[in-house]
Amino acid sequence: MEIEKDNELMEKIVSLAKRRGFVFQGSEIYGGLAGTWDYGPLGAELSHNIKDLWWDFFVRKHEENYGLASSVLMPEPVWEASGHLEGFADPMVECEKCKRRFRADHLEEVTEDSSKCPECGGAFGEEKAFSQLFPVEMGSVEGSKVNAYLRGEIAQGMFVNFKNVLDTMRPKLPFGIAQIGKAFRNEIAPREFLFRVREFDLMEFEYFTREEEWEEHFEKWRKEMWEWIDLVGITRDSTHELEVSEKDRAHYSKRTIDFEFDYPFGRKELYGLAYRTDHDLKKHMEHSKVDLRYTDDEGERFIPHVIEPSFGLGRTVLAVLVSAYREDEIGGEKRVYLAFKPSVAPIKAAVFPLMKNKPELQTKAREVYKDLKKAIPQIMFDDNGNVGKRYRRQDEIGTPFCITIDFDTLEDDTVTVRNRDTAEQERIQISELEPYIKEQIETKK
Ligand code: ATP
């Protein structure tokens, strides 16, 4: 289904992200490097929160799931075995006139007549495969250089360490190996902000199971993926499952469900859930000559099958931003705010002295701020402009609570806590602040 494109919304989000320190163009002062984006101070907090939530939800809460942090650089034989050297390519066409390149399978999306260049109307040459892997030459001595690649997916880190995890942790089937880390793809046409980039973080696990049990585990993780979508604050109604047809599936997959999201630029992939069979372990066993079989309690040796839930961090950040973006009116004035869940909000609470130039308010506010920051690190101090302006600034970065220290505070140790979504204020004892905010973070998860 085609959804209505909302370029204006996308522009507002990109501009807010830049203006408020969430996301900057990579290497911007040198004109920017296409397909790279840098997280600014607030984006870094937001993405750390998302990664932490993911790690807790999918790794630490499951006793059979194990963490991993493997290298970005992996030698050519890994990619030969996995099939990426041959199969990880996009069909590409080049315009004979302006020499611009386009993904053949995306042309219909960007132009009405896919036989002509959308930029200059020129004719296309023959379709060619274009590898997405980034090659790297390792070592400095000629003749002893190693051909390596920046990993195109993080899954291969899990497969090449399968035996190490088996030998050290002695897990029983079914079990998972998970990691969060960078992947690199030489995309022909990076675009749509964080959606299609050349360097991105993935959060992913390989869940190893007996072949006959793959469907059961596929269903289990499919349900947990929906729970995650709620947990992180992605609008459920804007998320849709798509059963990927055989011709569109990756070379290793026997079944794939894409979780698609209604981005302002259209409905596109957010996450993937794939049944990778025993393809990868089998190929690595053939190529490395290392026995990668699992031995069960009866002494039977076999290669387990794999279910892979895969989550792009950048696409998550984008979907969370789109889901949280709100415009409303308070007291006749328009406001923009990000309705982040408290658990993902980069700043949980901001502390203000009612007036900047009253030393007794400053001292008290600093004290409250310092104490609170010890218990909840993502706290900000702000004394710029008037309180109304500070509320607007905090609303725009999605801070759920603003705490104001006023003259009454000096008398009775109470403060005003203002709620981002309702703009309502309540009076709370300073000693209650920490449990109050912590409870909100927990219950709104
Ligand atoms: P697409 O069809 O959009 O190119 P894909 O099917 O190649 O994606 P997978 O190989 O399934 O993607 O990658 C797993 C996840 O990694 C995706 O669900 C997505 O969240 C993320 N991802 C893939 N490619 C990119 C990219 N170029 N930029 C940002 N995130 C990406």
Side-chain angles (χ1 to χ4, degrees), residues 88 103 106 132 152-153 185 187 194-202 204 250 252 258 263 269-272 308 310-316:
F88 199 48
R103 250 174 87 162
H106 285 168
Q132 289 194 17
E153 59 170 22
R185 295 185 187 175
E187 298 278 359
L194 301 170
F195 176 78
R196 190 168 299 288
V197 295
R198 292 187 168 132
E199 171 181 341
F200 54 98
D201 287 281
L202 274 172
E204 190 170 281
Y252 49 71
D258 280 351
Y263 300 96
E269 179 172 338
L270 171 64
Y271 301 143
E308 177 194 76
S310 181
F311 306 74
L313 176 68
R315 290 188 191 180
T316 307

Side-chain angles (χ1 to χ4, degrees), residues 7 48 73 77 88-89 91 122 148 165 180 197 210 215 217 238 241 244 277 283 322 340 360 369 383 418 440-441 443:
N7 295 335
H48 274 294
L73 290 165
F88 199 48
V165 175
I180 297 178
V197 295
R210 289 170 184 275
E215 276 159 310
H217 295 296
S238 308
E241 285 188 12
V244 180
T277 69
K283 289 285 175 197
V322 172
F340 288 138
E360 61 274 39
Y369 162 74
D383 61 2
R418 184 252 196 192
Q440 298 278 334
I441 296 174
T443 53

Side-chain angles (χ1 to χ4, degrees), residues 3 195 261-270 315 318-319:
I3 63 157
F195 176 78
F261 181 73
D262 296 330
Y263 300 96
F265 45 82
R267 185 173 291 180
K268 302 248 164 75
E269 179 172 338
L270 171 64
R315 290 188 191 180
L318 183 52

Side-chain angles (χ1 to χ4, degrees), residues 386-413:
N386 62 37
V387 171
K389 285 213 177 96
R390 294 179 211 157
Y391 283 157
R392 295 304 152 94
R393 272 204 301 274
Q394 295 299 330
D395 286 343
E396 225 188 5
I397 62 170
T399 306
F401 307 104
C402 289
I403 299 162
T404 304
I405 278 72
D406 56 23
F407 291 104
D408 287 341
T409 313
L410 305 177
E411 305 295 322
D412 62 6
D413 263 356

